[in-house]
Amino acid sequence: QVQLVESGGGLVQAGASLRLSCAASRRTFSRFAWFRQAPGKEREFVAGISWSSGRTYYADSVKGQFTISRDNAKNTVYLQMNSLKPEDTAVYYCAASTTATLGMMGMDYWGKGTLVTVSS
């Protein structure tokens, strides 16, 4: 059974930075992605990365603010979040796909999520 375990969430003030981590129990994926779900809103794509090439993809709302990266040796994907705003408050989920997709429906495995709260 594949597991994805997120960590790094917490409560921070606006303008602060956080780095989320997603550790995978094995490396058999084509794509990793971060999604988030704010209170009362639908889950949305945040950022994605190709495991083989390292190519990255971002939602327009976080371009220039968030950076996704991977550590092949640790089977871990990171999401560096800078200049956080109250509207970034959400549960952040790590997901992985065995195919070349970043769509929510194409993700094969999901983590349980980590809460990020940004106070004003």
Side-chain angles (χ1 to χ4, degrees):
Q1 181 69 17
V2 175
Q3 288 186 320
L4 301 178
V5 180
E6 302 103 332
S7 61
L11 171 63
V12 296
Q13 290 188 330
S17 297
L18 276 177
R19 189 178 78 158
L20 304 183
S21 300
C22 173
S25 57
R26 66 178 194 224
R27 191 201 318 169
T28 57
F29 308 113
S30 176
R31 298 285 188 274
F32 272 89
W34 287 96
F35 295 82
R36 68 184 179 185
Q37 188 165 17
K41 295 188 177 181
E42 294 186 351
R43 193 172 298 188
E44 63 176 0
F45 170 80
V46 174
I49 189 166
S50 166
W51 192 260
S52 58
S53 70
R55 182 177 178 181
T56 57
Y57 308 82
Y58 296 96
D60 288 343
S61 59
V62 304
K63 280 182 182 176
Q65 182 190 1
F66 291 2
T67 303
I68 188 171
S69 61
R70 76 198 192 296
D71 185 327
N72 290 27
K74 296 182 179 180
N75 287 354
T76 299
V77 175
Y78 303 98
L79 186 67
Q80 178 67 41
M81 306 185 295
N82 298 328
S83 303
L84 284 163
K85 311 166 191 174
E87 51 263 43
D88 294 316
T89 294
V91 177
Y92 284 72
Y93 298 91
C94 173
S97 173
T98 55
T99 61
T101 179
L102 291 173
M104 202 178 314
M105 298 302 294
M107 293 294 142
D108 298 297
Y109 300 98
W110 289 85
K112 293 182 179 181
T114 184
L115 177 62
V116 173
T117 304
V118 184
S119 63
S120 58

